[in-house]
Amino acid sequence: MYTKDGEKYFIVDAHIALWDARPENQRNVHGKQFIDCFYDYHRNLSPDSELWSYEEYLYQGGERLMHDVFEVGYADHAIFQPARLGEFYRKGFGQTAEALELTRKHPDKLTYNHYFDPRDGERGLDRLRQDAEEMNLQGVKLYTADWHGDSRGYKLSDPWTYRYLEVCREVGIKNIHVHKGPTIRPLDRDAFDVADVDHVATDFTDLNFVVEHCGLPRLEDFCWIATQEPNVYAGLAVAIPFMHTRPRYFAQIIGELLYWLDENRIFFSSDYALWTPKWLVETFVDFQIPEDMSEYAPLTTDQKKKILGLNAAAVYGIPVPEELQVANPPQLAEPQAVAVA
């Protein structure tokens, strides 16, 4: 919990990861390219006081994560959103076993989401059912630009993706997090295009589609989709560090999101270990849209409380102490009749 000026904030970091990008886990040059790109984002968007060395950026481990996210990072709960990247890393990029063990050790603090890849075909469907049961999954994280053999991406609207989403529906996985944001070397920019979210959100109205990185650099496309699809949410991972380097740019991002969506469908995300939540929480609580950007309304304390944690808590059923709620708590969209996919 974070406290400032007498206000108490319940913090849910909706996007964290445990990764291993050390040389011994890199399958090829692309593994190094990927983590180097991550590190460039870290260096270019972080305050000097928050910079890590390259070596410690390659691998953090669970003990450091608990310290950075919970002991000093103010988080009351955090949600793992791993990426497989099996073509680049021998054991995968996101460390499933370690993250899952940490979640089971701290179920009051952590939720583990997993991943699927529709290009795994029938065997992947069986694996998804098994994973859902063994890992008690509420959500998955998808990388539509991930490489798979000769394939360099897929779409949410592909027939095989629909079969996997139908299994999600079948086993109770309601939260579909999708990386739809800046490209990461060597992945292809266009494979992260946000347009296919429109298709699946319409056909799976009983699932929540959390668009990580809110579609950047396609913010306008994302907003036009999300305003008409009430089951589409915006994740602020990668967007929120711009408070430090480009505050007016971030003001535009958050202003547009609040205009087109509403304050109930935006999630705070540090994207740990790209960034640590401590400085992001502190900066966001203090952040205000510049007065000369008058097309956007000022950010209210209650809006900040919802974005920093109450929204994600509502979607994931995370208990929030009554004294940390707001007068008008987040309202979830009523599920519509299930569409025929």
Side-chain angles (χ1 to χ4, degrees):
M1 184 183 69
Y2 180 61
T3 303
K4 180 71 182 291
D5 296 334
E7 297 286 352
K8 297 178 180 179
Y9 299 80
F10 186 84
I11 308 297
V12 177
D13 193 337
H15 192 305
I16 66 169
L18 270 177
W19 67 60
D20 185 357
R22 292 173 290 190
E24 57 268 30
N25 192 33
Q26 294 175 14
R27 186 181 295 277
N28 48 44
V29 67
H30 300 312
K32 186 175 189 309
Q33 289 173 335
F34 189 88
I35 194 61
D36 285 356
C37 186
F38 261 28
Y39 192 60
D40 285 342
Y41 276 117
H42 171 73
R43 288 188 306 160
N44 292 332
L45 298 181
S46 300
D48 290 344
S49 61
E50 304 298 326
L51 291 176
W52 291 13
S53 71
Y54 181 75
E55 288 68 27
E56 63 185 332
Y57 209 70
L58 296 176
Y59 173 77
Q60 299 78 48
E63 184 175 340
R64 176 158 190 177
L65 179 146
M66 296 302 294
H67 172 78
D68 291 342
V69 174
F70 296 103
E71 293 178 21
V72 300
Y74 306 120
D76 296 280
H77 201 94
I79 303 171
F80 280 115
Q81 309 288 359
R84 179 165 64 175
L85 301 174
E87 297 290 334
F88 305 159
Y89 297 97
R90 301 180 191 280
K91 298 184 299 180
F93 184 65
Q95 298 305 288
T96 299
E98 188 175 5
L100 191 57
E101 180 182 0
L102 203 63
T103 300
R104 288 168 174 164
K105 188 177 179 180
H106 303 282
D108 58 326
K109 292 183 176 297
L110 289 164
T111 293
Y112 180 75
N113 286 353
H114 199 46
Y115 45 72
F116 68 70
D117 189 320
R119 294 165 296 185
D120 288 338
E122 290 286 352
R123 63 183 177 86
L125 293 172
D126 293 337
R127 184 70 207 182
L128 178 58
R129 292 186 180 95
Q130 183 179 342
D131 288 341
E133 181 177 358
E134 293 179 355
M135 301 177 184
N136 192 30
L137 296 179
Q138 297 184 62
V140 290
K141 169 68 183 300
L142 307 182
Y143 247 62
T144 56
D146 196 2
W147 292 9
H148 190 288
D150 294 333
S151 171
R152 290 173 60 154
Y154 66 92
K155 293 183 180 295
L156 297 177
S157 52
D158 289 344
W160 269 106
T161 311
Y162 266 50
R163 292 190 61 183
Y164 277 72
L165 292 174
E166 287 161 359
V167 170
C168 287
R169 174 186 281 166
E170 167 195 322
V171 299
I173 296 173
K174 288 184 61 66
N175 302 312
I176 315 299
H177 294 250
V178 194
H179 180 116
K180 292 292 186 179
T183 192
I184 307 163
R185 190 183 187 202
L187 303 176
D188 296 341
R189 184 185 75 102
D190 288 348
F192 283 138
D193 192 289
V194 74
D196 54 351
V197 173
D198 190 21
H199 203 116
V200 292
T202 296
D203 287 347
F204 292 88
T205 57
D206 52 334
L207 301 181
N208 302 316
F209 293 90
V210 183
V211 176
E212 300 294 351
H213 324 298
C214 53
L216 295 176
R218 305 172 181 89
L219 179 66
E220 185 174 8
D221 288 351
F222 167 74
C223 286
W224 279 96
I225 291 169
T227 195
Q228 61 186 336
E229 303 290 351
N231 56 333
V232 172
Y233 294 73
L236 289 178
V238 176
I240 198 165
F242 281 105
M243 292 184 299
H244 171 63
T245 57
R246 296 280 302 280
R248 293 181 67 86
Y249 179 51
F250 178 72
Q252 178 189 8
I253 293 170
I254 197 68
E256 292 293 326
L257 291 176
L258 287 169
Y259 176 84
W260 291 98
L261 282 72
D262 57 54
E263 62 200 38
N264 298 317
R265 289 195 282 149
I266 306 171
F267 290 175
F268 166 72
S269 307
S270 72
D271 217 342
Y272 182 89
L274 269 161
W275 300 277
T276 50
K278 181 179 186 295
W279 73 272
L280 294 172
V281 170
E282 293 172 346
T283 306
F284 184 68
V285 167
D286 292 342
F287 185 82
Q288 193 49 261
I289 293 174
E291 291 184 3
D292 65 329
M293 298 179 72
S294 56
E295 67 268 38
Y296 304 123
L299 287 169
T300 69
T301 298
D302 279 4
Q303 285 175 331
K304 292 176 180 179
K305 288 182 177 182
K306 287 183 174 184
I307 292 167
L308 282 170
L310 299 181
N311 291 341
V315 168
Y316 274 87
I318 299 166
V320 178
E322 185 63 32
E323 66 270 20
L324 298 181
Q325 282 286 3
V326 292
N328 295 302
Q331 300 296 318
L332 301 181
E334 289 291 329
Q336 301 169 21
V338 175
V340 177

